[in-house]
Amino acid sequence: MVHPNDPREEVIQAWYMDDSDEDQRLPHHKDPKEFVSLDQLSELGVLSWRLDADNYETDEELRKIREDRGYSYMDFCEVCPEKLPNYEEKIKNFFEEHLHTDEEIRYCVAGSGYFDVRDRNEKWIRIWVKKGGMIVLPAGCYHRFTLDTDNYIKAMRLFVGDPVWTPFNRPHDHLPARKGYVQNFLQKEAGDSPIDAAA
């Protein structure tokens, strides 16, 4: 499943999660492991890049992505026990399943962490983003975030215009962003049996 010729897969990997309720920061691989390709993620609207995290100030590729996608705002967020006030509470909040009405853009410049999204059948896919990996979660996509056992990530946050980080915890299926996401990505290949968004 993993394509060694796709350089993105050195910094972004995805797999289906097991159902265990052990520590959320563990990998939660199924047995046997079930990897998900970055192409499969893109079918769910999740975009990914591999960038040069050591030179983000001068990286032409990053500049071009920001220009093409209109990401005018940028800041950094460090998530670790030492740097984040109310760390334990924040980590719990990040791991509550939620959506945003805008894209969530995260570029990992140090450390690593897990972004979990659901597939068309509501199964959790864990996306491991490491230094150099950048992902975009589309507006209306239910997701959650947690650190891995290293307990540290420094991520660049990008945004179109003024940032709005409001999380809408599931269920928020009535929001236009959610309806748009379901229509654009979840019903795409469902053919005659569209997935019931209310299910």
Side-chain angles (χ1 to χ4, degrees), residues 40-104:
Q40 285 171 287
L41 285 183
S42 71
E43 287 169 19
L44 297 170
V46 179
L47 306 177
S48 54
W49 291 266
R50 182 194 178 154
L51 297 169
D52 179 1
D54 290 323
N55 296 299
Y56 57 79
E57 294 97 337
T58 54
D59 185 2
E60 273 303 302
E61 195 179 351
L62 176 61
R63 190 190 60 75
K64 190 173 174 343
I65 293 166
R66 288 187 62 179
E67 214 167 78
D68 292 349
R69 300 186 65 83
Y71 299 151
S72 48
Y73 175 90
M74 184 265 279
D75 72 3
F76 289 95
C77 176
E78 267 186 295
V79 183
C80 59
E82 301 77 26
K83 297 275 174 78
L84 192 67
N86 307 329
Y87 169 79
E88 289 297 338
E89 190 190 324
K90 287 264 174 57
I91 278 290
K92 279 199 185 75
N93 289 346
F94 294 157
F95 202 62
E96 277 288 314
E97 187 176 359
H98 63 278
L99 61 76
H100 303 284
T101 52
D102 298 276
E103 290 180 339
E104 176 165 316

Side-chain angles (χ1 to χ4, degrees), residues 137-161:
L137 304 178
C141 166
Y142 283 123
H143 64 281
R144 61 191 185 187
F145 170 79
T146 185
L147 290 171
D148 56 28
T149 48
D150 288 344
N151 283 320
Y152 179 75
I153 192 170
K154 180 178 183 180
M156 180 186 289
R157 304 190 293 186
L158 297 162
F159 205 83
V160 178

Side-chain angles (χ1 to χ4, degrees), residues 16 44 118-125 170 186 195:
Y16 277 105
L44 297 170
R118 288 189 184 271
D119 74 359
R120 292 194 175 98
N121 301 312
E122 290 284 299
K123 301 264 188 288
W124 280 114
I125 296 172
R170 189 165 191 172
L186 302 188
I195 291 164

